[in-house]
Amino acid sequence: MSHLPANGIWQQCPKCRRNVHRLEWGNLQICPHCGHYLRLSATRRIQQLSEKFQPLPELTAAPPFAFPGYQKKLAQAQQQTGASEAFTAGTATLSDQAFVLGVMDSHFMMGTLNTIVGARLRQAITAAQQQQLPLVLVIASGGARMQEGILSLLQMNTVLAAYDALNAAGNFTLNILTDPTMGGVTASFAFAADAVIAEAGATIGFAGRRVIEETSREPLPPDFQKAASLFEHGQLDAVVARPDLAATLTQLLRLHQRK
Ligand SMILES: [Zn+2]
């Protein structure tokens, strides 16, 4: 028998490097020693932020391009996450309040935006509009998915256009930015909501830190692109600790009830 921790039961904390038992990480996936947040899967996030969740009909399609190795990567991501794509949406309730909840999953090809994720985002926006419900998006994305090239970039515009129509219709929209929120997602709909809040510690930006440092040849402050720094500079409405997120969501939904 090996003296090393068994896979799947113990997981090393990326911050304090201690081995933490699966049960100690808990549903919220917080390190009991240093408070570090692991990135949540879409399934865990849905459990955290809703009491009931009814998924929308699942849109799927074959990838538009045969980009080398893409099929294999997709199949791997599907196998690892048990999800068919990087975004899941459905109608949800929390403390008796109904809303449409959409969640991006960074475990699925870094939550990247492609044609299907774009189509599912528009589907969630349409569902909120038709059912006159608030829309809550939990964002976790590395940006546009390069394997679908220009078609991924196109989603920035089409999703944003649908999102603007929902805002114009007067539905309450809330975006919860989680780690990481980057690239084309930041540059399109991530900041388009009525209220934009972030989970504490999240990295939020457009280009990556290293790219900016190498291009500008300037040292960047340690809190660069961190949620707290963005809040200080007026880009976010609030920064919320993970254990408080459900209560904050409840409060915001109550404050923005239509009737
Ligand atoms: Zn830790």
Side-chain angles (χ1 to χ4, degrees):
M1 200 171 153
S2 167
H3 64 283
L4 294 170
N7 266 344
I9 295 178
W10 295 86
Q11 189 175 349
Q12 194 180 49
C13 172
K15 194 174 174 194
C16 72
R17 319 302 288 176
R18 290 203 213 188
N19 284 312
V20 178
H21 193 273
R22 185 167 48 85
L23 295 176
E24 281 194 292
W25 282 111
N27 288 338
L28 293 183
Q29 303 279 280
I30 300 174
C31 173
H33 305 291
C34 72
H36 179 74
Y37 299 168
L38 292 184
R39 289 172 179 170
L40 291 187
S41 66
T43 309
R44 282 192 193 275
R45 190 62 84 175
I46 290 165
Q47 280 168 358
Q48 182 201 6
L49 298 178
S50 66
E51 282 138 12
K52 281 186 207 155
F53 182 79
Q54 179 64 41
L56 297 176
E58 192 173 270
L59 300 177
T60 52
F65 297 131
F67 191 87
Y70 185 27
Q71 281 287 11
K72 201 175 153 196
K73 274 197 170 173
L74 269 178
Q76 266 174 358
Q78 284 164 347
Q79 203 193 356
Q80 282 163 1
T81 61
S84 59
E85 252 302 342
F87 179 75
T88 308
T91 48
T93 55
L94 180 64
S95 304
D96 292 329
Q97 295 175 98
F99 58 105
V100 173
L101 175 63
V103 178
M104 301 179 93
D105 192 338
S106 64
H107 297 87
F108 194 108
M109 296 192 76
M110 201 38 84
T112 39
L113 180 65
N114 68 337
T115 45
I116 279 294
V117 171
R120 289 187 184 183
L121 278 157
R122 291 191 297 278
Q123 180 194 30
I125 292 165
T126 306
Q129 202 159 0
Q130 285 174 346
Q131 298 177 51
Q132 301 210 340
L133 292 173
L135 175 71
V136 177
L137 296 181
V138 181
I139 294 176
S141 180
R145 189 174 300 171
M146 64 166 196
Q147 288 88 344
E148 293 188 25
I150 190 103
L151 294 181
S152 291
L153 296 181
L154 186 66
Q155 306 309 312
M156 292 167 61
N157 284 351
T158 55
V159 172
L160 189 58
Y163 204 108
D164 279 348
L166 183 69
N167 278 330
N171 295 51
F172 174 57
T173 52
L174 168 69
N175 282 349
I176 303 173
L177 311 187
T178 69
D179 191 58
T181 296
M182 298 297 291
V185 169
T186 301
S188 56
F189 55 92
F191 283 90
D194 292 320
V196 183
I197 67 175
E199 188 167 75
T203 299
I204 300 158
F206 180 63
R209 182 190 174 95
R210 214 178 317 150
V211 174
I212 298 175
E213 252 172 353
E214 280 168 11
T215 311
S216 66
R217 296 175 191 275
E218 292 284 336
L220 296 168
D223 63 351
F224 183 69
Q225 293 182 331
K226 289 290 173 194
S229 163
L230 265 74
F231 176 72
E232 274 172 38
H233 290 87
Q235 284 185 281
L236 294 169
D237 294 303
V239 177
V240 182
R242 184 174 289 175
D244 302 332
L245 215 44
T248 303
L249 173 57
T250 303
Q251 193 185 14
L252 286 170
L253 290 171
R254 284 221 174 101
L255 283 170
H256 292 88
Q257 269 176 349
R258 281 199 157 186
K259 295 163 210 152

